[in-house]
Amino acid sequence: MTTTESQPAPGDLTRGDDLAGKVAVVTGAAAGIGRAVALVLARSGLRLALCDRDAEGLDRIAAEIMSDGGDVLCGVLDVRDATALDAFFDDVASRFERLSVLVNNAGGTFGAAFLDCSAKGEQALIAENFTSVTHCIRRAARLMAAGGSIINITSSEAHRAAPGVAIYAAMKAAVASLTKSLALELADARIRVNCIAPDRIPTAGEDAVAAQLVQPDMDLPWHPQPWPDGGDVSDAASAVLFLAGAGSRFITGTTLHLDGGNWAASGWKRHHSGGYVL
């Protein structure tokens, strides 16, 4: 690991300007949460290395960032491909030499009962949602200095039952557990490791899975979360910006639940007519 940067001290500015000029890797950056994260980091002055298997989506976000004067490196790849990931991180090291932030955003699933999920499908889910994360962390941590931040995007499904997406949920839970262990292992290097667990954040990927699992004609009398307003990809991007910067210098090994209160509710449901039931 490099040691060219210093750990932020107590009382440092926490507006995000401490990130200007630093380098961030964002996986799955072509759309949804990854795209929102990349844009907010670029607007905060970070130089970016973005990867996704969607070449057209990457081209669009790269053009947007560069039109605002940003510096961006793109890699078209599938995070399940270890060789491609290694080549991407080699390019990051060659171009930028060091790294301050890693956002493990890439992931996904499909709706299927556990007994209907084939061994091949299970391995694909493990590779996309867990193995790719461990691979990225090993490569990124070696480029990080003191003050580095690793942010893993997990899911509310890491913390509750998830019928129809059981393997996906198990892998997200594994990432949450890994995050706690690595927060301790990397503490001496002054590298923080945290999770963000979104729920009810509309994206094309989430909508596609929901369509497989939920009947479209269901007229549920419940709000999707206790908080009366819905979540947005910008909420996830703001959470990433906070965990990336000096304002979160004493936070490591934790999960930020971006869910409108669902984790706290633990089964309580908010009725449209008002009040809660269990």
Side-chain angles (χ1 to χ4, degrees):
M1 300 177 192
T2 60
T3 56
T4 55
E5 298 178 28
S6 60
Q7 168 73 354
D12 280 357
L13 293 177
T14 58
R15 299 190 303 268
D17 47 358
D18 60 294
L19 293 170
K22 295 184 178 181
V23 178
V25 165
V26 183
T27 68
I33 288 175
R35 174 182 172 83
V37 166
L39 289 175
V40 79
L41 293 180
R43 290 164 186 160
S44 298
L46 283 92
R47 296 175 289 165
L48 297 177
L50 311 177
C51 68
D52 202 292
R53 56 190 173 192
D54 178 1
E56 293 183 359
L58 272 184
D59 285 344
R60 285 193 294 270
I61 190 170
E64 185 171 350
I65 290 169
M66 289 187 292
S67 70
D68 289 334
D71 187 5
V72 60
L73 167 71
C74 289
V76 179
L77 59 90
D78 188 324
V79 293
R80 296 173 296 183
D81 184 340
T83 301
L85 267 182
D86 280 335
F88 174 67
F89 275 98
D90 287 344
D91 289 343
V92 172
S94 177
R95 170 82 166 266
F96 299 114
E97 297 184 354
R98 62 184 184 180
L99 178 64
S100 295
V101 179
L102 167 66
V103 183
N104 278 312
N105 170 72
T109 189
F110 51 84
F114 174 77
L115 295 180
D116 296 330
C117 183
S118 68
K120 182 178 180 181
E122 179 175 302
Q123 287 303 311
L125 289 170
I126 293 170
E128 184 169 8
N129 294 290
F130 184 74
T131 310
S132 69
V133 172
T134 63
H135 198 137
C136 287
I137 291 174
R138 286 192 185 97
R139 289 302 308 264
R142 291 183 170 90
L143 296 174
M144 283 186 172
S149 178
I150 295 171
I151 303 162
N152 299 319
I153 308 298
T154 59
S155 171
S156 58
E157 269 62 58
H159 304 276
R160 65 189 182 196
V165 289
I167 302 300
Y168 166 82
M171 292 305 98
K172 292 300 188 181
V175 172
S177 177
L178 178 75
T179 295
K180 295 177 183 179
S181 296
L182 295 188
L184 274 60
E185 289 198 21
L186 298 178
D188 284 346
R190 302 301 194 277
I191 295 173
R192 295 175 294 111
V193 191
N194 291 290
C195 287
I196 295 171
D199 187 19
R200 309 289 182 177
I201 303 293
T203 65
E206 179 171 318
D207 291 346
V209 175
Q212 293 178 290
L213 299 175
V214 180
Q215 296 298 322
D217 58 349
M218 290 179 69
D219 185 17
L220 298 177
W222 318 108
H223 282 285
Q225 69 275 321
W227 190 253
D229 305 315
D232 184 77
V233 293
S234 63
D235 297 310
S238 296
V240 167
L241 183 63
F242 168 66
L243 289 177
S248 58
R249 63 174 293 279
F250 200 51
I251 300 174
T252 192
T254 196
T255 293
L256 179 60
H257 292 272
L258 191 71
D259 63 2
N262 272 338
W263 184 67
S266 298
W268 285 94
K269 298 183 185 300
R270 184 169 184 263
H271 199 275
H272 286 304
S273 63
Y276 290 85
V277 297
L278 184 62

